[in-house]
Amino acid sequence: MMKRKIKNWIKLTVSKNLWIRKIPRSLVKKQLMVLGVSLVLAVLTFLAGIGESALIHGTRLPRGSYGSPGQSFPLIVNGLPEEDSLSVEVSVSSKKYTMAEANQVFAEIYQKIESLIVSEGDSLAALSGDLKLPATLPQYGVRLSWDYYPESLQGDKKDPTYYRTWRNLIDHDGTVHNQDLAEGTVITGYLSLIMSSEIDPTESPEYADRRYKSEPYQIYVNVVPRTYTRKQRMIRNLKKLLEEQDLNNPASDYYELPSELDGYPLSFHDPLKLDWMLFPCLGVLAAVLLWFRQGQKQKDAKKKRESSLLLDYSELVSKLMVYSGAGFTLRNAFLEISRHYQSLIHDGIVENRPLFQELQILDTELNRNVPESDAYLAFARRINLKPYTRLISILEQNRRNGGQALRQQLKLEMEDAFETRKSTALRLGEEAGTRLLLPLFMMLAIVMMIVIVPAMISFT
């Protein structure tokens, strides 16, 4: 019953609003489908939003993990006097340790610090590779500050020479500069680690605006020469040899390349240049572009031919109407039009246009006694344009029926032909205007540069 009422209401609305009838039914169906889908999505989004709430039991908001940034929650407050509801933004800071909890976390990190900073297969007792010294541990909400202090083999930390020599052995990011250590060398020292975190200011008010820092932890490390594979060692030795060779005779005009390395004879040659590959690639690219260009040329030629045929169509219909009015048969009219165009082309008065070529083919077929019907149909098929197909069908129909109304039909066709010629000329003019836009914009850009550049130079 309700469905029938809705249909009747729609019919009544459509009957009163005639403009609705002009809208295609397919478009109306698509519009209704889009509206229906949008409404369904809106309902689903609304229902999903009902279950999502930052509030826990209506009175609590969750805090972020240790060290995470604070969060903001938009809420509606009810129960205020003279206000039904009020929108507020509640800022909630992250969780913070107590001082005892922070110290416990620092101790826990220190217990497993070697697994955090040393790569697999290496150890602090004999470190040959780089360290991984993180600045933060997000899972704990703790920041880490690193520094390296070398100490002498005898444990004398005040030895100035030893300290200055190896002070920069380990960078703050963990890079170890042990590439040039002699085999068997061991550099002792320790990493100073200071950890910090935010703690509960209600328990320790002095840390309300600063972080709580641990006491420095000392992590002892022995740095040994870096281990290399055979290939890496050979490459490193070759680089050193080349550097030494460069310093041997800097006053000479030439750099003498070494002849051997570790007993192995060396030979050098220029790397294979691949510049020559550019030309075959460019050739292939040019060939592909020429193939596309040829297809585009064919399209352009076809388009140009169709435009020329459409522009000449009105003149052909006009001449046919004149010759048929003068008593010429269709065959003689086409032959006379073709011969007239041939004489104009021969005298250089007009250029050989596509229509003239097709008329010449038609003239040849008629002179070879090809049946008129076949010649006219072949003429229409070669041109393959709707106006010419319509003209040939009119001529064939009148040729079979006696041709009593041919002049009147040609007159109507000529009027349509002139309208087609006018629209074709307008379209060609618009295309030519569009092609001129790019040069015009380029000229505008040049003029703007001529005006702006001197002005900017004068300001500087």
Side-chain angles (χ1 to χ4, degrees):
M1 188 70 178
M2 181 61 69
K3 188 175 181 181
R4 187 179 301 172
K5 287 183 178 180
I6 293 173
K7 285 185 176 181
N8 292 335
W9 178 79
I10 293 173
K11 289 180 179 179
L12 182 62
T13 304
V14 171
S15 62
K16 288 183 179 180
N17 300 276
L18 297 177
W19 61 273
I20 297 179
R21 297 181 182 179
K22 298 180 181 179
I23 302 175
R25 286 192 173 184
S26 59
L27 177 60
V28 174
K29 288 181 180 179
K30 291 179 181 178
Q31 290 173 330
L32 292 176
M33 183 176 66
V34 169
L35 290 174
V37 170
S38 63
L39 290 174
V40 171
L41 292 176
V43 171
L44 292 176
T45 305
F46 174 75
L47 294 176
I50 292 176
E52 294 180 358
S53 176
L55 287 169
I56 302 173
H57 303 301
T59 58
R60 297 178 180 178
L61 289 172
R63 288 189 184 275
S65 59
Y66 297 106
S68 64
Q71 302 179 41
S72 295
F73 299 93
L75 297 175
I76 304 296
V77 182
N78 294 320
L80 294 174
E82 300 181 1
E83 290 286 346
D84 294 336
S85 61
L86 182 66
S87 298
V88 293
E89 191 85 11
V90 181
S91 297
V92 180
S93 60
S94 59
K95 289 192 294 184
K96 293 179 174 59
Y97 294 113
T98 64
M99 188 177 293
E101 290 173 339
N103 290 328
Q104 184 178 354
V105 170
F106 295 160
E108 180 184 344
I109 294 173
Y110 179 69
Q111 292 297 324
K112 53 182 178 182
I113 196 66
E114 184 170 2
S115 62
L116 295 175
I117 65 174
V118 178
S119 301
E120 187 177 355
D122 216 339
S123 70
L124 293 175
L127 182 67
S128 62
D130 293 330
L131 294 170
K132 297 176 290 184
L133 302 182
T136 60
L137 293 176
Q139 65 271 33
Y140 295 102
V142 174
R143 295 180 187 174
L144 298 91
S145 176
W146 302 89
D147 206 354
Y148 174 69
Y149 296 94
E151 61 180 14
S152 66
L153 293 173
Q154 291 76 23
D156 185 6
K157 301 179 183 178
K158 297 182 180 180
D159 183 353
T161 304
Y162 190 85
Y163 181 85
R164 284 195 301 268
T165 303
W166 305 112
R167 179 68 182 90
N168 299 318
L169 183 62
I170 301 178
D171 288 340
H172 293 287
D173 61 354
T175 303
V176 181
H177 301 285
N178 58 343
Q179 295 88 348
D180 297 323
L181 290 182
E183 189 174 352
T185 305
V186 179
I187 307 300
T188 61
Y190 64 89
L191 291 168
S192 177
L193 168 62
I194 298 177
M195 291 178 273
S196 65
S197 69
E198 294 181 347
I199 63 173
D200 187 359
T202 60
E203 183 190 77
S204 305
E206 66 272 21
Y207 295 106
D209 55 353
R210 61 191 179 95
R211 299 175 68 85
Y212 172 65
K213 294 184 179 180
S214 69
E215 293 295 326
Y217 290 91
Q218 292 184 354
I219 305 167
Y220 284 90
V221 55
N222 296 325
V223 180
V224 298
R226 192 177 291 267
T227 56
Y228 297 99
T229 63
R230 187 170 181 272
K231 181 179 179 181
Q232 290 173 335
R233 190 178 297 107
M234 291 292 291
I235 293 173
R236 189 166 177 270
N237 293 340
L238 177 61
K239 288 182 178 179
K240 282 186 176 181
L241 180 61
L242 293 174
E243 290 174 0
E244 293 172 359
Q245 197 74 8
D246 183 40
L247 298 174
N248 280 342
N249 194 4
S252 173
D253 293 336
Y254 300 98
Y255 174 97
E256 193 71 27
L257 290 169
S259 58
E260 65 173 4
L261 173 65
D262 298 338
Y264 294 97
L266 299 179
S267 63
F268 297 85
H269 61 83
D270 293 323
L272 180 62
K273 295 182 179 180
L274 299 179
D275 297 347
W276 60 274
M277 287 292 294
L278 176 64
F279 296 101
C281 293
L282 290 176
V284 172
L285 179 62
V288 174
L289 291 177
L290 285 174
W291 182 76
F292 283 109
R293 178 60 179 164
Q294 182 62 28
Q296 187 62 38
K297 279 186 176 181
Q298 292 177 356
K299 290 181 181 178
D300 293 341
K302 182 180 179 182
K303 187 176 180 181
K304 184 177 179 181
R305 179 176 181 273
E306 291 178 353
S307 299
S308 176
L309 289 168
L310 290 174
L311 289 173
D312 293 338
Y313 176 67
S314 58
E315 186 176 354
L316 175 63
V317 177
S318 176
K319 288 184 179 294
L320 283 175
M321 189 177 71
V322 171
Y323 284 120
S324 63
F328 280 71
T329 62
L330 286 177
R331 175 191 177 93
N332 292 333
F334 275 111
L335 292 175
E336 186 61 29
I337 293 171
S338 176
R339 289 165 187 165
H340 175 66
Y341 281 139
Q342 289 177 29
S343 63
L344 293 177
I345 294 170
H346 183 267
D347 296 337
I349 299 174
V350 295
E351 61 181 3
N352 193 6
R353 297 168 68 85
L355 178 60
F356 307 160
Q357 298 171 7
E358 297 297 336
L359 287 173
Q360 188 174 2
I361 296 172
L362 178 63
D363 186 353
T364 304
E365 290 180 347
L366 292 175
N367 287 328
R368 289 180 178 177
N369 295 322
V370 175
E372 283 190 56
S373 177
D374 295 343
Y376 296 152
L377 291 176
F379 174 75
R381 280 195 301 270
R382 286 194 303 273
I383 294 179
N384 195 24
L385 290 174
K386 188 179 291 184
Y388 286 90
T389 304
R390 186 172 60 247
L391 173 64
I392 295 302
S393 65
I394 291 172
L395 297 179
E396 275 294 296
Q397 183 180 0
N398 282 273
R399 192 176 65 84
R400 292 174 181 174
N401 297 336
Q404 297 177 356
L406 178 61
R407 184 175 176 78
Q408 183 64 28
Q409 290 180 344
L410 288 176
K411 184 177 180 181
L412 295 174
E413 186 64 25
M414 185 179 66
E415 293 175 358
D416 292 341
F418 276 109
E419 289 296 326
T420 303
R421 179 187 177 91
K422 188 189 299 183
S423 62
T424 303
L426 286 173
R427 178 175 57 81
L428 293 175
E430 290 173 356
E431 291 178 357
T434 303
R435 285 194 292 270
L436 288 173
L437 286 177
L438 179 60
L440 288 175
F441 279 121
M442 292 176 65
M443 292 175 64
L444 177 62
I446 293 171
V447 171
M448 291 179 67
M449 293 296 292
I450 292 172
V451 174
I452 293 172
V453 170
M456 294 180 67
I457 293 174
S458 64
F459 280 124
T460 57

